[in-house]
Amino acid sequence: MAGASVVPTLLYADAKAAIRQLTEGLGFTEVSVYEGEDGTVEHAELAHGNGVVMLGSKGRGGVFDKAMEGAGPAGVYVVVDDVDAHHRRALEQGVEVLMPPADQAYGSRDYMVRDLEGNVWSFGTYAPEVGG
């Protein structure tokens, strides 16, 4: 993987459960997971296509943890080729669906879910073009 230039980074009270939901329910691939001696997730990277999301456990201390303290949920958009198949997988894994697959006026087919800790994940066919 060449490396993404924009990487959403989220903290979870139960990062291990988040990793399970994102991999099993939403098709991410575990790239790396580093755990502390107490079992907290110090740092994890999950890939989807050529994109990456980083995550870790809340309450570990440090500047980022302190800055994110009390932060609300985030929204992340992920490009997928087959929205309906992706949606079926999420349903089979019990992921909370906020919006079923729908064709959008701008030409995309999207659907939306909420993860175990309130973050909103949208999956769709719209792929923004990025200039070099």
Short mmCIF file of all heavy atoms in Angstrom, two decimals, residues 96-129:
data_model
loop_
_atom_site.label_atom_id
_atom_site.label_comp_id
_atom_site.label_asym_id
_atom_site.label_seq_id
_atom_site.Cartn_x
_atom_site.Cartn_y
_atom_site.Cartn_z
N GLU A 96 -25.70 -1.72 13.08
CA GLU A 96 -26.86 -0.83 13.05
C GLU A 96 -26.87 -0.01 11.76
O GLU A 96 -25.98 0.82 11.54
CB GLU A 96 -26.85 0.12 14.25
CG GLU A 96 -28.01 1.08 14.26
CD GLU A 96 -27.92 2.15 15.35
OE1 GLU A 96 -26.93 2.16 16.12
OE2 GLU A 96 -28.83 2.99 15.39
N VAL A 97 -27.86 -0.22 10.93
CA VAL A 97 -27.98 0.51 9.66
C VAL A 97 -28.87 1.72 9.88
O VAL A 97 -30.00 1.61 10.34
CB VAL A 97 -28.53 -0.40 8.54
CG1 VAL A 97 -28.76 0.41 7.27
CG2 VAL A 97 -27.58 -1.57 8.29
N LEU A 98 -28.34 2.90 9.54
CA LEU A 98 -29.11 4.14 9.67
C LEU A 98 -29.86 4.48 8.39
O LEU A 98 -30.91 5.10 8.42
CB LEU A 98 -28.16 5.31 10.01
CG LEU A 98 -27.37 5.17 11.30
CD1 LEU A 98 -26.40 6.33 11.45
CD2 LEU A 98 -28.30 5.08 12.49
N MET A 99 -29.27 4.10 7.25
CA MET A 99 -29.87 4.36 5.95
C MET A 99 -29.52 3.19 5.03
O MET A 99 -28.34 2.89 4.85
CB MET A 99 -29.34 5.66 5.35
CG MET A 99 -29.95 6.02 4.00
SD MET A 99 -29.15 7.45 3.22
CE MET A 99 -27.74 6.66 2.43
N PRO A 100 -30.53 2.50 4.49
CA PRO A 100 -30.23 1.40 3.56
C PRO A 100 -29.68 1.95 2.24
O PRO A 100 -29.75 3.16 1.99
CB PRO A 100 -31.59 0.73 3.36
CG PRO A 100 -32.59 1.79 3.64
CD PRO A 100 -31.97 2.70 4.68
N PRO A 101 -29.12 1.08 1.40
CA PRO A 101 -28.59 1.56 0.12
C PRO A 101 -29.61 2.36 -0.66
O PRO A 101 -30.77 1.97 -0.76
CB PRO A 101 -28.22 0.26 -0.61
CG PRO A 101 -27.93 -0.71 0.50
CD PRO A 101 -28.93 -0.36 1.57
N ALA A 102 -29.15 3.49 -1.18
CA ALA A 102 -30.02 4.37 -1.96
C ALA A 102 -29.19 5.08 -3.02
O ALA A 102 -28.04 5.44 -2.78
CB ALA A 102 -30.68 5.40 -1.05
N ASP A 103 -29.79 5.27 -4.19
CA ASP A 103 -29.15 6.03 -5.26
C ASP A 103 -29.28 7.51 -4.92
O ASP A 103 -30.36 7.99 -4.56
CB ASP A 103 -29.80 5.73 -6.60
CG ASP A 103 -29.58 4.29 -7.04
OD1 ASP A 103 -28.50 3.74 -6.72
OD2 ASP A 103 -30.48 3.71 -7.68
N GLN A 104 -28.16 8.24 -5.04
CA GLN A 104 -28.12 9.66 -4.70
C GLN A 104 -28.19 10.51 -5.97
O GLN A 104 -27.80 10.06 -7.04
CB GLN A 104 -26.84 9.98 -3.93
CG GLN A 104 -26.65 9.13 -2.69
CD GLN A 104 -27.77 9.30 -1.68
OE1 GLN A 104 -28.32 10.38 -1.49
NE2 GLN A 104 -28.13 8.20 -1.02
N ALA A 105 -28.64 11.74 -5.83
CA ALA A 105 -28.77 12.66 -6.97
C ALA A 105 -27.42 12.93 -7.64
O ALA A 105 -27.36 13.23 -8.83
CB ALA A 105 -29.40 13.97 -6.52
N TYR A 106 -26.33 12.83 -6.89
CA TYR A 106 -25.00 13.12 -7.45
C TYR A 106 -24.36 11.88 -8.09
O TYR A 106 -23.18 11.88 -8.43
CB TYR A 106 -24.08 13.73 -6.39
CG TYR A 106 -24.03 12.98 -5.08
CD1 TYR A 106 -23.12 11.94 -4.86
CD2 TYR A 106 -24.89 13.32 -4.05
CE1 TYR A 106 -23.09 11.26 -3.66
CE2 TYR A 106 -24.86 12.66 -2.84
CZ TYR A 106 -23.96 11.63 -2.65
OH TYR A 106 -23.92 10.97 -1.45
N GLY A 107 -25.14 10.80 -8.25
CA GLY A 107 -24.67 9.64 -9.00
C GLY A 107 -24.09 8.51 -8.17
O GLY A 107 -23.68 7.50 -8.73
N SER A 108 -24.04 8.65 -6.88
CA SER A 108 -23.49 7.60 -6.02
C SER A 108 -24.60 6.71 -5.50
O SER A 108 -25.77 7.10 -5.47
CB SER A 108 -22.75 8.25 -4.84
OG SER A 108 -22.16 7.26 -4.02
N ARG A 109 -24.25 5.52 -5.09
CA ARG A 109 -25.15 4.64 -4.33
C ARG A 109 -24.49 4.49 -2.97
O ARG A 109 -23.35 4.07 -2.86
CB ARG A 109 -25.32 3.30 -5.02
CG ARG A 109 -26.31 2.38 -4.31
CD ARG A 109 -26.79 1.26 -5.24
NE ARG A 109 -27.70 0.36 -4.56
CZ ARG A 109 -28.99 0.60 -4.31
NH1 ARG A 109 -29.52 1.75 -4.68
NH2 ARG A 109 -29.75 -0.29 -3.71
N ASP A 110 -25.20 4.86 -1.90
CA ASP A 110 -24.64 4.92 -0.56
C ASP A 110 -25.53 4.20 0.45
O ASP A 110 -26.72 4.04 0.23
CB ASP A 110 -24.55 6.37 -0.06
CG ASP A 110 -23.69 7.27 -0.90
OD1 ASP A 110 -22.88 6.77 -1.70
OD2 ASP A 110 -23.83 8.50 -0.75
N TYR A 111 -24.91 3.84 1.58
CA TYR A 111 -25.68 3.47 2.77
C TYR A 111 -24.89 3.91 3.99
O TYR A 111 -23.72 4.28 3.88
CB TYR A 111 -26.03 1.98 2.78
CG TYR A 111 -24.99 1.04 3.33
CD1 TYR A 111 -25.10 0.52 4.62
CD2 TYR A 111 -23.90 0.65 2.57
CE1 TYR A 111 -24.15 -0.36 5.13
CE2 TYR A 111 -22.96 -0.23 3.06
CZ TYR A 111 -23.08 -0.74 4.34
OH TYR A 111 -22.15 -1.61 4.84
N MET A 112 -25.55 3.92 5.15
CA MET A 112 -24.93 4.50 6.34
C MET A 112 -25.19 3.60 7.55
O MET A 112 -26.29 3.08 7.72
CB MET A 112 -25.53 5.89 6.57
CG MET A 112 -24.87 6.72 7.63
SD MET A 112 -25.72 8.33 7.82
CE MET A 112 -25.81 8.92 6.13
N VAL A 113 -24.16 3.47 8.40
CA VAL A 113 -24.27 2.68 9.63
C VAL A 113 -23.72 3.48 10.81
O VAL A 113 -23.03 4.47 10.63
CB VAL A 113 -23.50 1.33 9.53
CG1 VAL A 113 -23.99 0.52 8.35
CG2 VAL A 113 -22.00 1.55 9.45
N ARG A 114 -24.04 2.99 12.01
CA ARG A 114 -23.46 3.55 13.24
C ARG A 114 -22.69 2.43 13.91
O ARG A 114 -23.20 1.32 14.07
CB ARG A 114 -24.55 4.08 14.17
CG ARG A 114 -23.98 4.78 15.40
CD ARG A 114 -25.02 5.24 16.42
NE ARG A 114 -26.34 5.54 15.91
CZ ARG A 114 -26.77 6.75 15.56
NH1 ARG A 114 -25.97 7.80 15.63
NH2 ARG A 114 -28.01 6.93 15.13
N ASP A 115 -21.46 2.70 14.33
CA ASP A 115 -20.69 1.67 15.01
C ASP A 115 -21.08 1.58 16.48
O ASP A 115 -21.96 2.31 16.96
CB ASP A 115 -19.17 1.84 14.79
CG ASP A 115 -18.53 2.98 15.54
OD1 ASP A 115 -19.12 3.52 16.51
OD2 ASP A 115 -17.40 3.37 15.16
N LEU A 116 -20.45 0.67 17.19
CA LEU A 116 -20.81 0.38 18.58
C LEU A 116 -20.69 1.58 19.51
O LEU A 116 -21.31 1.62 20.56
CB LEU A 116 -19.94 -0.76 19.12
CG LEU A 116 -20.11 -2.10 18.42
CD1 LEU A 116 -19.05 -3.09 18.88
CD2 LEU A 116 -21.51 -2.66 18.67
N GLU A 117 -19.87 2.58 19.13
CA GLU A 117 -19.66 3.74 20.00
C GLU A 117 -20.16 5.04 19.40
O GLU A 117 -19.78 6.12 19.82
CB GLU A 117 -18.20 3.81 20.41
CG GLU A 117 -17.83 2.59 21.26
CD GLU A 117 -16.51 2.70 21.98
OE1 GLU A 117 -16.00 3.82 22.17
OE2 GLU A 117 -15.99 1.64 22.38
N GLY A 118 -21.03 4.94 18.39
CA GLY A 118 -21.72 6.11 17.88
C GLY A 118 -21.14 6.78 16.66
O GLY A 118 -21.73 7.74 16.14
N ASN A 119 -19.99 6.34 16.17
CA ASN A 119 -19.43 6.92 14.95
C ASN A 119 -20.28 6.51 13.76
O ASN A 119 -20.79 5.39 13.70
CB ASN A 119 -17.98 6.48 14.75
CG ASN A 119 -17.10 6.94 15.88
OD1 ASN A 119 -16.92 8.14 16.09
ND2 ASN A 119 -16.56 6.01 16.64
N VAL A 120 -20.42 7.40 12.80
CA VAL A 120 -21.23 7.15 11.62
C VAL A 120 -20.31 6.86 10.43
O VAL A 120 -19.41 7.64 10.12
CB VAL A 120 -22.14 8.37 11.31
CG1 VAL A 120 -22.92 8.15 10.02
CG2 VAL A 120 -23.08 8.62 12.49
N TRP A 121 -20.53 5.71 9.82
CA TRP A 121 -19.74 5.26 8.68
C TRP A 121 -20.66 5.21 7.47
O TRP A 121 -21.69 4.55 7.50
CB TRP A 121 -19.15 3.88 8.94
CG TRP A 121 -18.17 3.84 10.05
CD1 TRP A 121 -18.44 3.79 11.40
CD2 TRP A 121 -16.76 3.86 9.93
NE1 TRP A 121 -17.28 3.78 12.11
CE2 TRP A 121 -16.22 3.81 11.24
CE3 TRP A 121 -15.88 3.90 8.85
CZ2 TRP A 121 -14.86 3.81 11.49
CZ3 TRP A 121 -14.53 3.89 9.09
CH2 TRP A 121 -14.02 3.86 10.39
N SER A 122 -20.29 5.91 6.38
CA SER A 122 -21.02 5.87 5.13
C SER A 122 -20.19 5.08 4.12
O SER A 122 -18.95 5.24 4.07
CB SER A 122 -21.27 7.28 4.59
OG SER A 122 -22.03 8.01 5.51
N PHE A 123 -20.84 4.23 3.35
CA PHE A 123 -20.17 3.44 2.33
C PHE A 123 -20.88 3.70 1.02
O PHE A 123 -22.12 3.65 0.95
CB PHE A 123 -20.24 1.94 2.69
CG PHE A 123 -19.52 1.61 3.95
CD1 PHE A 123 -20.15 1.69 5.19
CD2 PHE A 123 -18.17 1.25 3.92
CE1 PHE A 123 -19.48 1.41 6.36
CE2 PHE A 123 -17.49 0.97 5.09
CZ PHE A 123 -18.14 1.04 6.31
N GLY A 124 -20.11 4.01 -0.02
CA GLY A 124 -20.75 4.33 -1.30
C GLY A 124 -19.80 4.25 -2.46
O GLY A 124 -18.60 4.01 -2.31
N THR A 125 -20.36 4.49 -3.63
CA THR A 125 -19.59 4.37 -4.87
C THR A 125 -18.92 5.68 -5.29
O THR A 125 -18.09 5.69 -6.19
CB THR A 125 -20.49 3.88 -6.03
OG1 THR A 125 -21.59 4.79 -6.17
CG2 THR A 125 -21.00 2.47 -5.76
N TYR A 126 -19.28 6.79 -4.66
CA TYR A 126 -18.66 8.07 -5.01
C TYR A 126 -17.21 8.06 -4.57
O TYR A 126 -16.91 7.84 -3.41
CB TYR A 126 -19.40 9.25 -4.35
CG TYR A 126 -18.72 10.58 -4.61
CD1 TYR A 126 -18.77 11.17 -5.85
CD2 TYR A 126 -18.00 11.20 -3.60
CE1 TYR A 126 -18.13 12.38 -6.10
CE2 TYR A 126 -17.36 12.40 -3.82
CZ TYR A 126 -17.42 12.99 -5.08
OH TYR A 126 -16.77 14.17 -5.31
N ALA A 127 -16.31 8.30 -5.52
CA ALA A 127 -14.87 8.33 -5.22
C ALA A 127 -14.31 9.68 -5.65
O ALA A 127 -14.13 9.94 -6.85
CB ALA A 127 -14.15 7.20 -5.95
N PRO A 128 -14.04 10.57 -4.70
CA PRO A 128 -13.51 11.89 -5.06
C PRO A 128 -12.20 11.76 -5.83
O PRO A 128 -11.36 10.92 -5.51
CB PRO A 128 -13.26 12.55 -3.69
CG PRO A 128 -14.12 11.80 -2.74
CD PRO A 128 -14.20 10.40 -3.26
N GLU A 129 -12.05 12.57 -6.85
CA GLU A 129 -10.81 12.62 -7.61
C GLU A 129 -9.82 13.53 -6.90
O GLU A 129 -10.17 14.62 -6.48
CB GLU A 129 -11.06 13.14 -9.03
CG GLU A 129 -11.87 12.18 -9.89
CD GLU A 129 -11.15 10.87 -10.16
OE1 GLU A 129 -9.92 10.89 -10.39
OE2 GLU A 129 -11.82 9.83 -10.12
#
